[in-house]
Amino acid sequence: MIRLYVNKLIGKTRQMIRLYVDPPAYEAGKLIRENRITISEYYRIAVVTLLLINLSTYQPILCLYAESDFLLVNTGARAAGMGGAFCALADDINAVYWNPAGLGHIRWEEFAFMHRWYRDEIYEFGAYCQPIEELDGNIGESIYYMSKSSDNYNLAAVLSWGQQIMGVESREHNIPGSESLNVGINLKFMREEIYDVRKDKYAVDIGGLYKFQEDRISFGTVLQNIGAGKEYVNTKIGAGYRILNKDSVLTIDVNFPYGRTYASAGAEYWLFDIFALRCGYTTLGDTNGLRCGLGYGRESLKINYAVIPSGESKDTHYAGISYRFGGLFKTGVVQAKIEKHFIQGKRFYRHNDLISAYREFQDVLFLNSEHEGAKEYLDKIRTVKKDIQMSRHFQAGKKYYQLGKLLKAKYEFESIIKVVPDNKETKNYLEMIEEKFEKMTEADALFRHGINSYEKGDYQKALDYWEAVAVVDKDYPEINNYIARSSDKIETMRKKKKEQERQRKEQEKNEKIKLHYEKGKDFYSQKKWDDSAKQFMAVLDIEPSHKSSKKYLEKIKYSVAEDLYDKAENLYNEKKYKESVNYFQETLKVIPDYRDSEELIRKITAEMKEYNLKKADELYERGLEAYKNGRIDKAIGLWKQAVDLNPNHLPAKKALQRIENETE
């Protein structure tokens, strides 16, 4: 029987190889019209044939070494962070570049944009895809642009189609299929312009994607740039494996460009379904080496980043954003949750954890009450005879019961009863729990209120409840320990609040100190000594040990003394001896023994005395001259000035006395 099936498959495969090598459309139609193969078989054999050709042949006509960098640039920051190993994954809109067959798995509208930074190059990518329910597939449009200068650019516009041809029946019934097969095609228009010389090309990509073991393992293959010339054609083969509850994936791609071969490998890990870590490696030419990337996003919006380090030139950076939307997106999110719970339930079931499996399948029915697969498994669980008493749920319920956590114990036991309604031991525990609830006294109720308040952080209220318990029943188990515990918490909170208040005041004090200190420095820089000193004194009023303010005040004293000293010297040079002496005396009030102030005061005093004697004689002579000329009043004034300067000037005194006698 097996030999007959193999022979039949080989015969059909040979027919499909003929269609691939010499593909007149009527041959395919002839096979289908004669009912020798079905449409589904046609697609399956076509993809299998494509895989066989890629794996078994290596001909230049099916291979590429893209001399243009444009065709070798990784598209999509997510794929770039995984080293470009994305052919067998292709589970988002970037499938339009890596493997159009991946579009068959997308169940929503999605658009994406990406930008690449590398030296002075500009590279942009934008794409959009939308499911077409009438045609049972997805259509995608994308555009690629790269420019190295104003006279050189590359442009590509691509129309994509992807369809799932195996596994559709299971999806229609909302049951994750064990395997699926997708096919896809790209129709490409490419343009290159260098110094006004334009060159247009048209090409086709054909891809296949096969997934099995509930999408954990996948294989993909793509023929790229068919029809653009053998130097542009590439054959890509890849594999992927999901691990850790599908939160992580490992991928590998092998490429057969014209005249050479290179491989890529990548890994992706999602944390909390929000953050993604990625790394990859490729052996492609001068760009070989490690890559890494990050991702962030929920179901609808995702932001991705990747970097390709370079030891000799600038690093290459990728940044991209994608957004999923539309009614089909919402349906797809719900469907994804359904599949997640369903797969988890099957895993628990295989490991004989029937309670956990039961919960997962119930979650499935909550999201979709008509889910046939979940219903079938729940029926199986109800009919399976297992030693439920030894399950981890029963043990957990017993432990919670012994610890007095009755509500949690009740939850575990009720979960068991839903699966095995006649389990006597579980029923006994549930009856004991109900009896405990019924027998709860007033003290129990108060104690529970205290527990709830304590868990909410209201320790004072908890203390009030527990002290009330002690009043109602002074022998209540462990009540004194609970009272002590809440009292300790209250004291800790009081100390914490006190410390916070101290820190607040300290912060306010520091802010005031900073304000005055900065003002003082500002006034000091403007040589406004009085204003500056007031600010630094204000600092010392708040913090007497503030060293910097003390230093500034000391500097201000010397600056003031220096200004006074300079003023005194200037007055001395102007022979204003009296004013000069006054400023030197002010200088000594600020800083005693400042420089030679005392010595200068003595010197100026002696000079001022000698000057006054000479000046008095001069004034006396001028007074005599005025007296001889009959200017008595002026003579009197000059002689009085002479006496003021030299009180012992006898001629001036006698002259004034004589005039006074004459007047009488």
Side-chain angles (χ1 to χ4, degrees):
M1 191 70 182
I2 295 174
R3 182 179 296 175
L4 288 173
Y5 177 78
V6 171
N7 289 336
K8 180 180 178 182
L9 179 61
I10 291 172
K12 291 180 179 180
T13 301
R14 287 173 177 169
Q15 292 172 326
M16 294 311 300
I17 291 174
R18 286 186 59 206
L19 291 175
Y20 181 78
V21 176
D22 184 18
Y26 68 87
E27 288 289 345
K30 181 179 178 181
L31 291 173
I32 295 170
R33 285 194 301 271
E34 294 176 357
N35 292 323
R36 293 164 63 186
I37 61 171
T38 65
I39 295 176
S40 178
E41 286 177 328
Y42 174 82
Y43 281 120
R44 294 184 196 182
I45 295 172
V47 174
V48 171
T49 302
L50 192 60
L51 284 166
L52 290 173
I53 293 172
N54 289 345
L55 291 169
S56 62
T57 66
Y58 180 58
Q59 302 175 14
I61 194 170
L62 296 177
C63 302
L64 138 80
Y65 175 63
E67 296 176 356
S68 171
D69 294 340
F70 181 58
L71 297 178
L72 293 177
V73 174
N74 288 338
T75 296
R78 180 188 178 200
M82 297 175 67
F86 208 69
C87 172
L89 189 57
D91 58 354
D92 62 18
I93 193 171
N94 292 294
V96 296
Y97 172 83
W98 296 97
N99 189 348
L103 290 175
H105 283 296
I106 298 178
R107 307 176 187 175
W108 41 72
E109 294 178 71
E110 183 175 358
F111 77 83
F113 174 77
M114 185 212 78
H115 177 76
R116 185 185 81 148
W117 290 268
Y118 178 66
R119 295 182 178 176
D120 297 328
E121 290 183 0
I122 298 174
Y123 186 90
E124 311 283 357
F125 162 73
Y128 169 78
C129 72
Q130 177 178 354
I132 307 296
E133 294 186 22
E134 294 79 1
L135 301 178
D136 196 24
N138 291 354
I139 190 170
E141 302 89 20
S142 54
I143 189 166
Y144 310 75
Y145 176 81
M146 184 174 79
S147 175
K148 296 182 179 180
S149 68
S150 59
D151 300 319
N152 179 354
Y153 76 87
N154 293 84
L155 177 70
V158 182
L159 180 65
S160 306
W161 174 260
Q163 181 177 0
Q164 183 173 330
I165 62 173
M166 188 176 78
V168 177
E169 296 80 11
S170 60
R171 285 181 64 190
E172 289 175 350
H173 294 288
N174 294 323
I175 303 172
S178 60
E179 60 179 338
S180 63
L181 180 62
N182 287 18
V183 294
I185 186 170
N186 284 336
L187 303 178
K188 293 182 173 181
F189 165 74
M190 297 176 287
R191 169 171 292 175
E192 181 178 23
E193 183 172 316
I194 302 176
Y195 299 111
D196 296 329
V197 178
R198 182 176 297 175
K199 185 185 197 178
D200 293 343
K201 290 182 179 293
Y202 298 90
V204 176
D205 297 347
I206 300 175
L209 183 61
Y210 177 60
K211 297 185 177 183
F212 60 100
Q213 289 197 1
E214 296 169 347
D215 291 351
R216 285 187 174 275
I217 301 175
S218 59
F219 293 100
T221 183
V222 188
L223 288 177
Q224 294 178 312
N225 305 313
I226 301 171
K230 65 180 182 180
E231 68 272 17
Y232 294 105
V233 181
N234 180 36
T235 302
K236 186 188 294 284
I237 299 172
Y241 181 63
R242 292 186 178 273
I243 57 177
L244 299 177
N245 196 24
K246 294 190 178 182
D247 290 331
S248 300
V249 63
L250 304 175
T251 58
I252 184 170
D253 280 11
V254 180
N255 290 262
F256 301 99
Y258 185 72
R260 63 181 301 183
T261 302
Y262 70 91
S264 302
E268 178 183 60
Y269 177 63
W270 279 90
L271 296 168
F272 314 115
D273 292 330
I274 299 176
F275 301 100
L277 304 176
R278 303 184 183 102
C279 65
Y281 188 88
T282 184
T283 63
L284 175 61
D286 296 335
T287 65
N288 69 86
L290 184 68
R291 289 97 165 86
C292 54
L294 299 172
Y296 170 81
R298 298 281 186 174
E299 290 93 346
S300 58
L301 181 66
K302 295 186 184 297
I303 300 172
N304 295 300
Y305 169 78
V307 60
I308 301 177
S310 175
E312 299 179 357
S313 59
K314 291 184 179 180
D315 297 342
T316 305
H317 300 269
Y318 292 78
I321 185 171
S322 63
Y323 182 66
R324 299 171 176 176
F325 58 97
L328 291 175
F329 166 68
K330 296 178 181 179
T331 304
V333 172
V334 174
Q335 183 63 26
K337 290 181 179 179
I338 290 173
E339 292 185 5
K340 183 176 180 180
H341 287 301
F342 188 77
I343 292 170
Q344 282 278 55
K346 291 200 295 184
R347 186 174 296 110
F348 285 133
Y349 183 84
R350 287 197 298 269
H351 290 85
N352 293 327
D353 188 351
L354 301 186
I355 306 303
S356 296
Y358 180 87
R359 291 174 181 170
E360 294 293 337
F361 293 130
Q362 286 284 23
D363 288 338
V364 172
L365 292 180
F366 176 77
L367 296 170
N368 180 6
S369 59
E370 302 300 323
H371 197 285
E372 297 297 333
K375 289 181 179 180
E376 291 177 7
Y377 271 100
L378 286 173
D379 290 339
K380 290 180 183 179
I381 290 172
R382 294 187 183 99
T383 57
V384 172
K385 302 295 182 181
K386 295 286 182 181
D387 188 5
I388 297 297
Q389 287 82 357
M390 299 307 294
S391 72
R392 65 184 181 89
H393 297 280
F394 187 85
Q395 298 301 323
K398 285 177 62 177
K399 184 177 180 179
Y400 286 137
Y401 181 83
Q402 293 166 359
L403 294 173
K405 298 179 179 180
L406 302 182
L407 291 175
K408 291 184 177 181
K410 184 179 180 183
Y411 174 73
E412 295 293 342
F413 290 130
E414 285 181 343
S415 296
I416 296 173
I417 287 296
K418 289 177 182 178
V419 179
V420 187
D422 299 328
N423 187 267
K424 292 183 179 180
E425 193 167 355
T426 302
K427 284 185 175 181
N428 290 337
Y429 269 104
L430 285 172
E431 290 173 0
M432 289 189 291
I433 290 171
E434 290 299 327
E435 289 176 4
K436 279 185 174 285
F437 283 145
E438 292 173 1
K439 292 179 180 180
M440 280 186 175
T441 61
E442 180 184 357
D444 293 324
L446 291 170
F447 181 78
R448 288 203 316 278
H449 287 311
I451 290 291
N452 292 334
S453 299
Y454 188 88
E455 290 176 349
K456 293 176 181 177
D458 192 345
Y459 305 116
Q460 183 59 53
K461 196 171 184 180
L463 178 62
D464 294 340
Y465 277 121
W466 288 335
E467 286 179 342
V469 171
V471 172
V472 174
D473 183 359
K474 64 180 181 179
D475 297 324
Y476 196 89
E478 299 293 327
I479 191 60
N480 291 328
N481 291 336
Y482 280 99
I483 290 173
R485 185 187 303 177
S486 59
S487 298
D488 290 341
K489 280 288 186 181
I490 291 171
E491 180 63 19
T492 300
M493 294 298 293
R494 186 189 67 78
K495 291 180 179 179
K496 184 178 179 180
K497 187 175 180 180
K498 184 177 180 181
E499 176 61 19
Q500 290 175 343
E501 181 65 19
R502 185 195 68 78
Q503 291 177 358
R504 184 187 65 79
K505 290 182 178 179
E506 183 71 17
Q507 184 178 357
E508 288 180 356
K509 184 182 80 171
N510 291 336
E511 288 176 354
K512 288 181 180 179
I513 288 174
K514 183 178 179 181
L515 178 63
H516 289 301
Y517 184 74
E518 293 298 328
K519 283 185 177 181
K521 286 170 58 179
D522 188 43
F523 286 134
Y524 182 85
S525 65
Q526 300 175 37
K527 296 186 178 182
K528 296 180 180 179
W529 311 125
D530 290 341
D531 293 334
S532 179
K534 288 178 183 178
Q535 296 298 326
F536 291 125
M537 289 299 295
V539 173
L540 292 178
D541 288 340
I542 301 171
E543 181 57 66
S545 61
H546 198 274
K547 294 181 180 180
S548 297
S549 294
K550 289 181 177 180
K551 289 181 180 179
Y552 266 106
L553 284 173
E554 191 67 22
K555 290 165 67 176
I556 289 171
K557 284 174 62 177
Y558 277 92
S559 298
V560 171
E562 184 66 23
D563 287 350
L564 292 170
Y565 185 90
D566 292 342
K567 184 69 174 176
E569 277 191 328
N570 292 334
L571 291 169
Y572 170 73
N573 293 331
E574 295 172 5
K575 297 188 181 300
K576 296 179 180 179
Y577 298 117
K578 189 174 181 179
E579 292 89 338
S580 177
V581 169
N582 290 337
Y583 273 101
F584 278 124
Q585 289 174 345
E586 290 296 323
T587 301
L588 293 174
K589 288 180 182 179
V590 176
I591 300 178
D593 301 327
Y594 184 76
R595 294 171 64 176
D596 54 351
S597 295
E598 291 184 352
E599 182 180 346
L600 288 173
I601 289 173
R602 288 193 294 270
K603 177 182 176 182
I604 293 170
T605 301
E607 289 182 5
M608 184 172 62
K609 185 176 181 180
E610 183 179 352
Y611 174 81
N612 288 342
L613 292 175
K614 291 180 179 180
K615 188 68 175 177
D617 291 339
E618 180 184 341
L619 291 171
Y620 174 74
E621 294 297 331
R622 288 172 58 192
L624 286 176
E625 186 69 25
Y627 183 80
K628 291 177 181 179
N629 295 326
R631 298 167 63 186
I632 304 300
D633 292 337
K634 185 174 182 180
I636 291 172
L638 291 170
W639 288 335
K640 283 183 178 181
Q641 290 180 31
V643 172
D644 289 339
L645 291 174
N646 183 5
N648 298 321
H649 199 283
L650 292 177
K653 284 183 175 182
K654 289 179 179 181
L656 288 170
Q657 185 64 41
R658 185 169 58 249
I659 291 175
E660 184 179 348
N661 292 334
E662 290 177 355
T663 303
E664 293 177 356

